[in-house]
């Protein structure tokens, strides 16, 4: 418990499950920034050594942080009634299983993307989650950490989409930088994941696309290739996709390219919106270009803050759910949204395995 003297005694407490790259480089720094909203009570890892190393990184803002490891540590977190929520930041292959364990124990969960390794796994997981009785004062929230839906660039651009008239076509161009200097390059779980880096990285870009256009992707036709032998296959994919509203677009994704380029562009009868990754005054983020009917191009730069914003929303939802059992959590964070991102990439990979034959995207109600 945080002492009364530090003014944080009444704050909700959470635990982080995982001590890998993303937990150390994103979750701990972001939790430091919002230490006035939440107390990091514990960090868990499979081994004592990695749990202790990660806990030391958080000691400055969570002086009473507890280290937990192994099966015994997980059980302690599940039994600890003072821990309201858990962030599951583990290998993609084990996240769903652990999330369901925590939810069953009554903990609110924010699980890192990807939602699952397949739509089948996601469907089974949602079926289990929906079968949990409301034996607590509330049904635990299952949020998914897909920070692109919380990036101001996409939030604001999605509001402008109505001003470009009828959509004519869409381009999504991703030229990634997954090389030996990238900290995730040697990540064994990502290399062994279904679809290699395509699925793990790709869910971000699909989330951005779906958020921007506000219409679901219904069908895809794709060709994938394995070009860079230092990467798991496939490392390149080109896909033609169609939206529910009839508009078509292209999704071009190279896992590793010589030049980093990440952009989404929607062309309409009255204007164009483009969201592109970039740097402004030393800050990384997105440049949004909006061209309207008057021909003027409006430029706005939005620094990255998606992880921070979605964690704040998760804390807000946790507190609201503890007061009101019928509280509806933020839909952008919902697990099912993450499952829909996976469904699009799964369809793209399936189509490429069928030499580009059209594949319908699995729907999640």
């Amino acid at each position: 418990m945080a002492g009364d003297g530090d003014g944080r005694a009444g704050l909700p407490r959470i635990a982080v499950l995982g001590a890998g790259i993303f937990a150390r480089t994103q979750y701990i720094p972001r939790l430091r920034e919002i230490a006035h909203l939440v107390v990091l009570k514990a960090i868990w890892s499979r081994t004592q050594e990695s749990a202790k190393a990660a806990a030391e990184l958080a000691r400055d803002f969570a002086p009473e942080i507890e280290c937990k490891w192994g099966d015994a540590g997980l059980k302690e977190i599940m039994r600890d009634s003072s821990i309201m929520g858990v962030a599951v930041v583990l290998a993609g292959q084990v996240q769903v299983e652990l999330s369901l364990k925590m939810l069953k124990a009554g903990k609110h969960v924010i699980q890192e993307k990807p939602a699952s390794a397949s739509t089948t796994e996601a469907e089974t997981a949602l079926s289990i989650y929906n079968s949990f009785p409301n034996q607590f004062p509330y049904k635990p929230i299952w949020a998914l950490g897909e920070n692109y839906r919380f990036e101001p660039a996409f939030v604001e651009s999605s509001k402008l989409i109505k001003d470009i008239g009828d959509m004519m076509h869409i381009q999504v161009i991703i030229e990634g930088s997954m090389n030996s200097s990238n900290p995730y390059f040697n990540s064994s779980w990502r290399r062994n994941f279904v679809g290699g880096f395509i699925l793990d990285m790709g869910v971000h870009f699909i989330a951005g696309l779906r958020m921007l256009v506000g219409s679901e992707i219904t069908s895809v036709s794709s060709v994938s290739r394995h070009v860079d032998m230092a990467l798991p296959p496939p490392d390149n994919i080109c896909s033609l996709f169609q939206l529910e509203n009839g508009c078509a677009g292209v999704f071009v994704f190279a896992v590793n390219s010589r030049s980093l380029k990440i952009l989404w562009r929607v062309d309409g009868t009255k204007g164009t919106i483009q969201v592109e990754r970039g740097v402004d005054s030393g800050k990384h983020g997105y440049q949004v270009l909006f061209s309207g009917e008057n021909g003027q191009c409006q430029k706005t730069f939005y620094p990255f803050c998606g992880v921070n914003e979605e964690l704040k929303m998760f804390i807000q939802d946790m507190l609201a759910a503890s007061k009101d059992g019928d509280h509806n959590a933020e839909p952008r964070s919902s697990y099912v949204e993450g499952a829909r991102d996976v469904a699009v990439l799964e369809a793209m990979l399936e189509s490429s395995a069928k030499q580009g034959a059209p594949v319908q995207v699995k729907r999640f109600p």
Side-chain angles (χ1 to χ4, degrees):
M1 298 285 284
D4 290 326
D6 66 6
R8 302 196 301 151
L11 298 181
R13 282 147 178 69
I14 65 164
V16 170
L17 305 189
I21 302 167
F22 203 76
R24 294 193 311 266
T25 64
Q26 284 296 325
Y27 268 76
I28 289 173
R30 300 297 79 78
L31 287 168
R32 178 181 288 109
E33 289 166 11
I34 57 170
H36 59 293
L37 300 175
V38 68
V39 173
L40 176 56
K41 185 172 184 195
I43 194 152
W44 176 91
S45 185
R46 281 170 300 175
T47 66
Q48 180 180 4
E49 185 185 19
S50 56
K52 283 191 165 179
E56 284 312 309
L57 297 174
R59 188 82 56 193
D60 62 300
F61 68 93
E64 295 171 26
I65 189 169
E66 297 169 11
C67 295
K68 307 284 184 185
W69 60 91
D71 290 343
L74 275 181
K75 284 173 185 161
E76 285 168 19
I77 288 171
M78 287 158 74
R79 285 195 298 260
D80 188 338
S81 60
S82 75
I83 294 175
M84 190 184 279
V86 171
V88 177
V89 196
L90 294 160
Q93 293 88 336
V94 300
Q95 292 200 121
V96 171
E97 183 190 349
L98 264 172
S99 293
L100 287 169
K101 268 186 186 176
M102 292 294 151
L103 289 161
K104 198 170 182 182
K107 307 296 182 194
H108 297 296
V109 167
I110 181 164
Q111 177 199 313
E112 253 312 300
K113 62 87 202 163
S116 60
S118 68
T119 53
T120 306
E121 184 185 31
E123 281 173 330
T124 305
L126 281 165
S127 167
I128 294 168
Y129 173 60
N130 291 330
S131 74
F132 289 163
N134 291 336
Q135 74 262 48
F136 305 98
Y138 50 78
K139 183 156 189 171
I141 293 162
W142 191 0
L144 188 90
E146 172 40 80
N147 50 73
Y148 277 46
R149 275 187 269 276
F150 284 84
E151 289 293 352
F154 289 102
V155 174
E156 296 307 315
S157 297
S158 66
K159 294 173 190 170
L160 292 170
I161 207 82
K162 64 183 185 304
D163 298 330
I164 67 164
D166 293 328
M167 287 183 207
M168 297 193 295
H169 65 88
I170 302 156
Q171 297 172 63
V172 182
I173 298 170
I174 311 296
E175 296 169 3
S177 57
M178 187 52 69
N179 52 47
S180 56
S181 62
N182 189 303
Y184 299 103
F185 181 76
N186 290 315
S187 165
S188 58
W189 79 255
R190 289 174 177 84
R191 286 180 162 271
N192 296 326
F193 207 57
V194 181
F197 286 108
I198 293 279
L199 183 61
D200 178 54
M201 292 168 67
V203 286
H204 280 316
F205 312 127
I206 296 298
L209 168 62
R210 291 180 52 241
M211 178 86 183
L212 179 61
V213 298
S215 180
E216 292 299 339
I217 299 160
T218 55
S219 64
V220 298
S221 175
S222 314
V223 175
S224 70
R225 297 174 66 217
H226 189 202
V227 180
D228 185 343
M229 295 303 145
L231 293 165
D235 63 324
N236 277 265
I237 195 160
C238 296
S239 187
L240 176 68
F241 61 85
Q242 187 165 29
L243 301 180
E244 222 165 24
N245 65 14
C247 184
V250 290
F251 177 85
V252 181
F253 179 15
V255 172
N256 186 38
S257 179
R258 287 287 170 193
S259 58
L260 178 70
K261 191 169 192 68
I262 298 176
L263 75 80
W264 296 256
R265 186 176 172 87
V266 187
D267 195 17
T269 53
K270 295 180 179 177
T272 305
I273 287 181
Q274 179 172 302
V275 181
E276 183 169 8
R277 178 117 168 229
V279 182
D280 188 287
S281 306
K283 289 185 175 179
H284 289 261
Y286 296 101
Q287 176 94 287
V288 175
L289 304 181
F290 171 68
S291 300
E293 278 189 293
N294 62 7
Q296 297 293 310
C297 183
Q298 179 186 318
K299 294 183 183 181
T300 317
F301 185 81
Y302 297 94
F304 289 142
C305 65
V307 177
N308 197 306
E309 291 302 312
E310 79 186 353
L311 278 172
K312 285 197 284 192
M313 182 56 71
F314 176 63
I315 293 156
Q316 203 174 305
D317 277 336
M318 273 198 315
L319 289 169
S322 67
K323 291 171 190 160
D324 172 13
D326 296 322
H327 171 71
N328 290 318
E330 168 59 57
R332 283 176 295 164
S333 301
S334 67
Y335 179 83
V336 75
E337 280 298 328
R340 289 174 183 137
D341 298 333
V342 170
V344 174
L345 284 153
E346 185 178 82
M348 287 179 176
L349 291 164
E350 186 185 329
S351 170
S352 66
K354 294 176 177 175
Q355 287 72 50
V359 170
Q360 296 297 305
V361 176
K362 194 176 276 189
R363 302 302 297 268
F364 280 86

